[in-house]
Every structure is written in structure tokens, then in C-alpha cells.
């Protein structure tokens, strides 16, 4: 484990995969393995417990050996719904969230995000490289997840909008743009 704090992880694989022609993104093959396997391999050593948010192909995801949770509503409400579905099963003080289509995530993701939150007294921190913010690569205090059901009943379902309601700031991952490459378009799949 990379940190002194307890951390659970939620890997988000529950989307509709619209930019992938409706394919289940986590199961799309990249470098001869499903994307989800790459992400699990990167994230599992950084955390105490790992949960997968998925809404299709549940038996396939279960074969990875981690608990799989589905959204409470079947209307694909987005990443916040996946986080909310997993939240009751998380036991650690901190929750690392990562999408299933970032196969090159850095091995210091959890520890760097935790350092930012601890040093600044924050409730959350998300990754940012020189080009953009990665709101789905975020570490949050478990206690802030209790309000997600209320937020899901509202209009703004964006993770960015949710994070703006928290004591949150980015963690800079300078020179690591490739680590946050997401494979969410069919033309990138063959890489």
C-alpha cells in the first residue's frame, strides 16, 4: 500500500459507452486485455479495498475478484450514480475514484491526491495535467458521499459540479499527460 491512510477505490465501468458505439468500455480490448484489467492492475496496489461500478456484463466483471455494484436506477445517471452505488460498501476514510478507460494511471495517484488533501485540509482533490483536469480521477472523503443521492435527484449530475460544492482543489501531475490518456473513442482503441 502506498499510503498510511486507509483508502478504498471505486472503478467506474457503468456507462453506456456512447463514444465507443455502445460497447461496454471496461471490456473493450486494449493491448490484448480488457481496459478494466489495466486499471485494476494500476489501482489495486494503491488501496485497501476495490469496488467496481458496472451496469452490464456483471458476471464478467465479477471474475476480476472484486465486488461489483450496479446503479440503483437503470437510467444511466452517469458517474455520480456509480459512485453512489458503491459508496455504502466503502469502509475507508478516503475513496479513490477512477474511470475504467484510463489504462496508464500513475502508481502514485492515490498518494499524491492524499498528500494534497491532507496538506490543505480538503475534502477532495482531482488530478490535473498540463492540458486538462481529470475530474474522474479523484480522491474524496467518504463522509461527503452521503449527499450524493440528494444530488442525483437534481439537475447537475456532473462530477465537476459536485466537486465545486466541496473543499477541493487539483493535484498537479506535471509531465504525466500520457498517464491520463483515456481510451474512450473507437479510433483510439487499437493502440
Amino acid at each position: 500500500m502506498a499510503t498510511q491512510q486507509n483508502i478504498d477505490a471505486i472503478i467506474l465501468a457503468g456507462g453506456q459507452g456512447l463514444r465507443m458505439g455502445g460497447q461496454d468500455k471496461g471490456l473493450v480490448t486494449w493491448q490484448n486485455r480488457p481496459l478494466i484489467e489495466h486499471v485494476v492492475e494500476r489501482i489495486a496496489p494503491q488501496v485497501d479495498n476495490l469496488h467496481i461500478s458496472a451496469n452490464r456484463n456483471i458476471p464478467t466483471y465479477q471474475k476480476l475478484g472484486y465486488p461489483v455494484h450496479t446503479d440503483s436506477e437503470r437510467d444511466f445517471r452517469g458517474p455520480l450514480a456509480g459512485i453512489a452505488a458503491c459508496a455504502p460498501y466503502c469502509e475507508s476514510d478516503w475513496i479513490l475514484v477512477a474511470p475504467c478507460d484510463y489504462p496508464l494511471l500513475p502508481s502514485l495517484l492515490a498518494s499524491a491526491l492524499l498528500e494534497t488533501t491532507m496538506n490543505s485540509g480538503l475534502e477532495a482533490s482531482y488530478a490535473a495535467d498540463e492540458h486538462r483536469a481529470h475530474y474522474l480521477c479523484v480522491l474524496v472523503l467518504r463522509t461527503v458521499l452521503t449527499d450524493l443521492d440528494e444530488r442525483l435527484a437534481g439537475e447537475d449530475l456532473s462530477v465537476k459540479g459536485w466537486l465545486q460544492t466541496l473543499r477541493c482543489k487539483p493535484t498537479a501531475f506535471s509531465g504525466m499527460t500520457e498517464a491520463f490518456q483515456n481510451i474512450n473513442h473507437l479510433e483510439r482503441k487499437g493502440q
Side-chain angles (χ1 to χ4, degrees):
M1 243 251 323
T3 68
Q4 300 296 325
Q5 297 287 323
N6 291 332
I7 300 176
D8 280 12
I10 297 171
I11 297 178
L12 300 172
Q16 292 177 288
L18 297 176
R19 288 177 291 219
M20 296 286 272
Q23 294 182 64
D24 190 334
K25 270 196 295 192
L27 303 180
V28 169
T29 301
W30 184 78
Q31 294 188 351
N32 302 315
R33 292 190 302 154
L35 282 170
I36 188 80
E37 288 185 14
H38 294 276
V39 177
V40 166
E41 186 175 86
R42 297 279 179 150
I43 295 299
Q46 301 183 52
V47 298
D48 296 289
N49 303 294
L50 191 144
H51 302 269
I52 297 172
S53 163
N55 291 309
R56 304 183 276 171
N57 303 303
I58 306 305
T60 303
Y61 283 109
Q62 288 173 329
K63 288 179 184 172
L64 294 169
Y66 297 97
V68 178
H69 311 288
T70 59
D71 294 358
S72 60
E73 303 293 327
R74 302 305 302 164
D75 59 353
F76 290 97
R77 304 276 293 162
L80 287 182
I83 296 168
C86 294
Y89 305 98
C90 293
E91 300 172 359
S92 297
D93 293 335
W94 293 96
I95 311 301
L96 176 66
V97 178
C100 68
D101 58 352
Y102 279 58
L104 301 173
L105 288 169
S107 60
L108 50 69
L109 180 65
S111 59
L113 293 172
L114 182 63
E115 184 176 342
T116 298
T117 60
M118 300 298 277
N119 288 345
S120 302
L122 302 174
E123 295 171 308
S125 182
Y126 57 88
D129 60 31
E130 292 87 353
H131 302 288
R132 66 187 189 103
H134 302 280
Y135 299 108
L136 291 182
C137 296
V138 63
L139 183 76
V140 298
L141 264 176
R142 181 171 53 105
T143 54
V144 304
L145 301 181
T146 57
D147 297 332
L148 277 183
D149 287 335
E150 184 178 317
R151 184 145 190 105
L152 285 166
E155 294 295 317
D156 184 0
L157 301 179
S158 74
V159 173
K160 178 182 178 181
W162 173 56
L163 292 176
Q164 288 173 339
T165 69
L166 305 176
R167 289 189 323 271
C168 177
K169 72 177 194 177
T171 296
F173 286 84
S174 300
M176 300 186 72
T177 300
E178 187 168 307
F180 295 97
Q181 172 188 359
N182 62 332
I183 311 297
N184 66 2
H185 292 82
L186 287 173
E187 64 270 15
R188 293 185 187 168
K189 183 183 156 223
Q191 295 180 357

